[in-house]
């Protein structure tokens, strides 16, 4: 895999087959849904009904398997493996990471359904009398089920597959890499192009239809707060505003645009949730949260596999199966984005963060908003809230917030959050689609990123005016069925690859921390090497005078025995490496790389502030293998000692290949 990566290093940023074919198909589907909205809706709705009638069992089983797999991977021996080289560190702090997960995953969904879904289940429960205490308990259990561990496990498995094969094995960060265990190098051909095209279309229409429906909530909120008329013209204006803001965010890049907006929105979400908690029935809501979580966890196995097989009902198709299909349909987009921001984390850290933190926040959100709303209806006699949910889901949040002191302030915060959530969705969606069309790279020209942002806004506006939003949303959901089959097979491939990784790790018994010695008289030299803090230039000379000749000597001996070996010396990157080709099997790479580290405080000298950076650091000649840095220093070793270490690692690599055969 690393060989192919090096061969493809100079590939064009734009992948023409994916970019042009995906653009053409998006335009054709848009024309069809706009000119023939009724026929499109009938066609795609028929597909969805057939899938629900005949495949609901498959969706339920698939999601259950995915959840079990993700939990197993996170808390088994595979959990220590990093999504990246062994020496990788996370690109983002935990707070920033959680914020971006939340914004891309389902932040806008909580705004839209935080009040509405619990109230809808409360007024029309599947298995009890409506508008009762038991209905309220059941409503929260169902809501937690739909927005809890199952949903995030779908995102997590896609992100795990993509991040593992991309960051640890050098494959492109696109959906095609999920198929590597199945078809190998063929992912770079027509099959891989088709998979990425599928992901582009699903992402574009998923975000466009959500934006189209989302502006209805924005328009409604502005109407409640400022009396802005609810009209198609105003909704197109709002789409234009969101698209323009997303364009600005795209232009500033991931680390500034999406990152800062996500952190802002996470802060606003916490503020709004705390205000609802403190201004409402605080003790009741805290009690309800504990009870809701307990009920959810105690009942999770039963509800996971409940298909209402003994009671014919349309409820499961309209709710649970719809949700599972929706999360699966969104998984290529959200999963790829989560993979992009999760480099350097261990699988255990990743699973804990992706499953527990967003789910925990969602549980608090639905409890504080949903239980408060049901309490207003059940004990406060506020039937108008129930009527608002029944008539127009978009208005439910604002009718709810108006019942609190400072209701207008809360509604304004909510509108601001909705706008920012949609900006981050459009921005992150454009980032993902751009990567799918650019061989997994995000350092592309600005026009490529703006192309997709503007395209999403334009599609949403056209569908809003011409109709067809529902048809393409249904089409997106129907696409979840074939994707779920691919996802199950790819999950099996991931586990197989992780087994190989574990075998490689177990074959590497570390024994190189002490420099080999030939006599007992050089202890002073050894002590000097241990306590010395060499500069960059000293390590560079070591690479040139010792490491490079050592690698070349081993290379020449390997070549004399008929093996393909080469030495790669890169003075500009302060590294030298020995590469031994193993044919169809994994190649052996032994690299000596200069890396800077901060000196301990007790050895730092008093220097001028301008010279602090240089004097406060020292450099090590560290060993890196194909799976990453081994975190030990060979600076000061003799050429003979380095050769022994090289051969020792090569011996272990051959033993690893023997285990796999």
């Amino acid at each position: 895999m690393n060989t192919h990566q090096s061969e493809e290093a100079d590939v064009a940023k734009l992948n023409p087959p994916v970019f042009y074919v995906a653009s053409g198909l998006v335009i054709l589907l848009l024309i069809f849904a706009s000119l023939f909205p009724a026929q499109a809706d009938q066609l795609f709705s028929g597909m969805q009904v057939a899938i629900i009638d005949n495949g609901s069992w498959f969706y339920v089983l698939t999601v259950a398997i995915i959840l079990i797999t993700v939990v197993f991977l996170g808390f088994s021996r595979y959990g220590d493996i990093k999504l990246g080289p062994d020496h990788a560190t996370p690109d983002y702090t935990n707070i920033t990471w959680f914020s971006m997960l939340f914004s891309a995953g389902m932040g806008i969904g909580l705004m839209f359904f935080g009040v509405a879904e619990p109230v809808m289940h409360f007024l029309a429960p599947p298995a009890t009398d409506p508008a009762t205490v038991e209905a309220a308990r059941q409503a929260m259990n169902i809501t937690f089920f739909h927005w809890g561990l199952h949903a995030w496990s779908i995102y997590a498995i896609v992100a795990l597959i993509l991040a593992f094969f991309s960051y640890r094995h050098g494959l492109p960060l696109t959906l095609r890499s999920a198929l590597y265990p199945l078809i190998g190098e063929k992912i770079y051909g027509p099959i891989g192009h088709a998979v990425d095209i599928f992901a582009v279309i699903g992402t574009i229409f998923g975000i466009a239809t959500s934006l189209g429906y989302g502006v209805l909530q924005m328009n409604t909120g502005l109407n409640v707060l400022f009396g802005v008329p609810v009209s198609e013209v105003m909704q197109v204006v709002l789409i234009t505003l969101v698209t323009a803001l997303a364009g600005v965010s795209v232009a500033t890049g991931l680390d500034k645009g999406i990152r800062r907006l996500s952190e802002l929105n996470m802060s606003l979400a916490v503020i709004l949730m705390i205000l609802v908690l403190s201004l409402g029935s605080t003790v009741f809501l805290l009690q309800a949260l504990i009870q809701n979580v307990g009920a959810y966890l105690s009942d999770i196995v039963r509800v996971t596999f409940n298909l209402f097989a003994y009671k014919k009902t349309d409820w499961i198709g309209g709710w649970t199966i719809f949700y599972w299909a929706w999360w699966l349909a969104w998984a290529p987009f959200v999963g790829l984005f989560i993979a992009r921001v999760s480099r350097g984390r261990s699988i255990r850290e990743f699973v804990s963060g992706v499953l527990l933190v967003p789910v925990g926040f969602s549980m608090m959100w639905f409890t504080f908003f949903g239980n408060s709303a049901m309490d207003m209806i059940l004990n406060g006699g506020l039937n108008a809230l129930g009527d608002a949910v029944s008539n127009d889901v978009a208005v439910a949040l604002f009718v709810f917030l108006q019942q609190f002191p400072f209701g207008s302030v809360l509604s304004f915060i909510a509108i601001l959050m909705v706008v920012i959530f949609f900006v981050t969705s459009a921005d992150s969606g454009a980032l993902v689609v751009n990567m799918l069309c650019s061989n997994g790279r995000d350092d592309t020209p600005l026009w490529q990123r703006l192309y997709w942002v503007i395209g999403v806004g334009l599609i949403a506006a056209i569908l809003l005016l011409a109709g067809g939003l529902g048809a393409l949303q249904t089409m997106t959901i129907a696409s979840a069925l074939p994707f779920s089959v691919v996802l199950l097979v790819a999950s099996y491939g991931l586990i197989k690859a992780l087994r190989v990784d574990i075998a490689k790790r177990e074959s590497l018994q570390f024994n190189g921390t002490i420099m080999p010695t030939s006599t007992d008289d050089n202890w002073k030299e050894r002590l000097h090497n241990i306590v010395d803090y060499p500069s960059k230039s000293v390590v560079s000379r070591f690479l040139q005078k010792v490491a490079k000749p050592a690698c070349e000597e081993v290379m020449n001996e390997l070549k004399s025995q008929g093996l393909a070996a080469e030495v790669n010396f890169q003075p500009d990157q302060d590294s030298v490496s020995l590469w031994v080709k193993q044919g169809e099997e994994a190649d052996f790479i032994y690299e000596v790389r200069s890396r800077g580290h901060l000196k301990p405080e007790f050895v730092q000298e008093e220097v001028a502030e301008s010279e602090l950076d240089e004097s406060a650091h020292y450099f090590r000649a560290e060993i890196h293998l194909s799976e990453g840095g081994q975190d030990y220093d060979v600076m000061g070793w003799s050429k003979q000692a380095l050769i022994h270490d090289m051969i020792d690692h090569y011996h272990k690599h051959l033993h690893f290949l023997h285990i796999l055969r």
Side-chain angles (χ1 to χ4, degrees):
M1 285 184 264
N2 288 296
T3 305
H4 195 103
Q5 183 189 27
S6 64
E7 293 172 352
E8 297 292 327
D10 297 325
V11 99
K13 290 180 180 178
L14 184 67
N15 189 346
V18 176
F19 180 84
Y20 291 113
V21 174
S23 297
L25 290 175
V26 165
I27 292 171
L28 289 176
L29 286 168
L30 177 62
I31 292 172
F32 175 55
S34 301
L35 297 181
F36 310 101
Q39 293 88 334
D41 189 57
Q42 184 179 3
L43 172 64
F44 296 132
S45 295
M47 291 170 54
Q48 184 181 357
V49 169
I51 290 171
I52 289 174
D53 288 344
N54 300 291
S56 57
W57 65 271
F58 180 73
Y59 276 130
V60 166
L61 184 61
T62 296
V63 174
I65 291 172
I66 289 172
L67 176 58
I68 293 169
T69 301
V70 170
V71 173
F72 166 73
L73 292 178
F75 299 99
S76 67
R77 60 179 182 162
Y78 302 124
D80 294 329
I81 297 173
K82 283 195 173 182
L83 300 176
D86 288 340
H87 61 277
T89 55
D91 291 342
Y92 301 99
T93 64
N94 286 338
I95 296 298
T96 299
W97 185 52
F98 295 146
S99 299
M100 290 195 284
L101 293 182
F102 184 73
S103 293
M106 54 182 64
I108 192 61
L110 300 190
M111 298 300 296
F112 203 79
F113 290 105
V115 172
E117 181 163 346
V119 171
M120 284 190 281
H121 295 316
F122 172 67
L123 297 177
T128 191
D129 294 329
T132 61
V133 172
E134 180 57 32
R137 278 198 289 262
Q138 192 175 102
M140 293 311 303
N141 202 1
I142 293 169
T143 303
F144 276 23
F145 177 53
H146 288 161
W147 295 80
L149 296 172
H150 296 74
W152 281 96
S153 69
I154 295 171
Y155 293 159
I157 193 66
V158 175
L160 265 179
I161 293 168
L162 297 180
F164 177 79
F165 286 116
S166 177
Y167 294 135
R168 196 159 179 88
H169 291 287
L171 297 179
L173 187 56
T174 66
L175 193 62
R176 70 178 66 202
S177 295
L179 298 182
Y180 190 86
L182 313 179
I183 62 176
E185 298 294 313
K186 291 181 181 178
I187 64 168
Y188 297 103
I191 297 176
H193 296 333
V195 169
D196 284 345
I197 290 167
F198 163 82
V200 168
I201 294 172
T203 299
I204 288 293
F205 284 124
I207 295 173
T209 53
S210 293
L211 180 58
Y213 286 124
V215 296
L216 301 177
Q217 188 178 36
M218 294 184 218
N219 198 177
T220 301
L222 292 171
N223 176 263
V224 170
L225 202 57
F226 302 114
V228 174
V230 176
S231 66
E232 289 183 345
V233 173
M234 179 53 60
Q235 288 154 15
V236 171
V237 169
L238 291 172
I239 289 176
T240 305
L241 173 64
V242 169
T243 304
L245 292 173
V248 173
S249 179
V250 157
T252 59
L254 173 64
D255 289 340
K256 293 181 180 178
I258 298 177
R259 175 182 179 176
R260 290 176 179 173
L261 287 174
S262 298
E263 290 172 342
L264 172 61
N265 229 16
M266 192 67 183
S267 301
L268 291 174
V270 170
I271 290 170
L272 184 59
M273 189 169 64
I274 291 175
L275 287 173
V276 169
L277 173 65
S278 57
L279 295 174
S281 304
T282 306
V283 174
F284 162 69
L285 293 176
L286 293 174
Q287 291 174 335
L289 175 63
I290 302 301
Q291 186 166 330
N292 291 341
V293 172
Y296 168 68
L297 294 176
S298 65
D299 214 23
I300 192 169
V301 174
R302 184 187 66 81
V303 295
T304 294
F305 297 97
N306 184 17
L307 277 160
F308 290 89
Y310 298 101
K311 179 183 179 182
K312 296 300 179 182
T313 176
D314 295 331
W315 186 90
I316 189 170
W319 284 102
T320 301
I321 304 304
F322 176 87
Y323 267 123
W324 287 179
W326 185 243
W327 302 142
L328 284 164
W330 271 70
F333 154 50
V334 180
L336 199 154
F337 180 78
I338 292 175
R340 171 62 184 82
V341 300
S342 300
R343 183 182 184 276
R345 297 185 182 274
S346 70
I347 291 179
R348 180 171 295 110
E349 183 183 9
F350 173 88
V351 169
S352 300
V354 173
L355 284 192
L356 301 182
V357 177
V359 170
F361 188 89
S362 298
M363 287 177 171
M364 288 190 288
W365 185 277
F366 278 112
T367 296
F368 298 162
F369 284 74
N371 273 110
S372 295
M374 290 186 294
D375 185 57
M376 290 176 182
I377 298 171
L378 186 62
N379 299 315
L382 188 63
N383 295 324
L385 179 55
D387 295 338
V389 171
S390 301
N391 296 329
D392 183 4
V393 173
V395 80
L397 175 64
F398 302 105
V399 173
F400 167 75
L401 292 176
Q402 290 299 315
Q403 310 309 313
F404 289 87
F406 313 108
S408 296
V409 175
L410 300 182
S411 295
F412 179 77
I413 295 174
I415 293 172
L416 185 60
M417 287 177 62
V418 170
V419 172
I420 298 176
F421 270 131
F422 271 112
V423 170
T424 53
S425 292
D427 190 352
S428 55
L431 172 75
V432 165
V433 172
N434 184 49
M435 291 172 66
L436 289 167
C437 295
S438 305
N439 303 295
R441 299 170 66 165
D442 60 3
D443 56 338
T444 54
L446 179 59
W447 74 264
Q448 287 181 224
R449 289 169 282 160
L450 291 176
Y451 173 84
W452 294 113
V453 168
I454 295 170
V456 166
L458 193 60
I459 291 169
I462 292 172
L463 292 176
L464 188 68
L465 295 174
L469 276 172
L472 287 180
Q473 184 185 46
T474 305
M475 181 204 71
T476 303
I477 295 170
S479 70
L481 182 62
F483 178 66
S484 62
V485 177
V486 173
L487 191 54
L488 287 176
V489 181
S491 301
Y492 175 70
L494 173 66
I495 293 174
K496 285 183 63 177
L498 289 171
R499 286 175 180 167
V500 173
D501 212 291
I502 287 291
K504 183 64 179 289
R505 174 173 294 190
E506 291 175 349
S507 71
L508 289 173
Q509 297 297 322
F510 177 75
N511 65 351
T513 54
I514 300 178
M515 181 176 64
T517 60
S518 55
T519 71
D520 293 329
D521 299 330
N522 62 353
W523 64 269
K524 292 183 180 179
E525 181 183 351
R526 289 178 57 199
L527 181 61
H528 172 74
N529 286 324
I530 291 171
V531 301
D532 190 28
Y533 295 92
S535 65
K536 185 175 182 179
S537 60
V538 170
V539 176
S540 297
R541 281 197 301 273
F542 173 78
L543 296 180
Q544 174 89 33
K545 302 295 185 183
V546 180
K548 183 171 176 283
C551 289
E552 289 173 342
E553 196 165 319
V554 175
M555 176 193 69
N556 292 332
E557 181 62 25
L558 289 168
K559 283 184 174 181
S560 72
Q561 298 186 32
L563 295 172
E566 62 183 50
V567 171
N568 184 13
F569 179 53
Q570 297 177 296
D572 56 327
Q573 297 182 18
D574 275 330
S575 75
V576 59
S577 60
L578 171 69
W579 194 321
V580 185
K581 305 293 179 63
Q582 299 293 146
E584 295 296 319
E585 297 180 303
D587 295 338
F588 172 72
I589 301 172
Y590 181 96
E591 180 183 10
V592 188
R593 183 188 302 179
S594 174
R595 292 192 68 197
H597 297 271
L598 192 66
K599 288 181 182 177
E601 289 187 7
F602 66 86
V603 298
Q604 292 187 26
E605 302 174 1
E606 294 289 336
V607 295
E609 188 172 343
S610 60
E611 302 175 1
L612 182 61
D613 286 345
E614 183 176 350
S615 67
H617 289 79
Y618 71 101
F619 287 79
R620 290 166 32 121
E622 297 185 358
I623 299 303
H624 285 243
L625 304 177
S626 57
E627 56 273 10
Q630 300 305 294
D631 201 30
Y632 70 94
D633 184 18
V634 296
M635 179 62 202
W637 286 26
S638 68
K639 184 176 74 171
Q640 202 68 16
L642 206 55
I643 288 174
H644 279 293
D645 189 59
M646 214 176 301
I647 293 173
D648 188 42
H649 277 296
Y650 184 55
H651 187 191
K652 292 169 185 174
H653 183 76
L654 293 180
H655 177 65
F656 158 66
L657 297 181
H658 168 72
I659 293 173
L660 294 183
R661 293 188 188 113

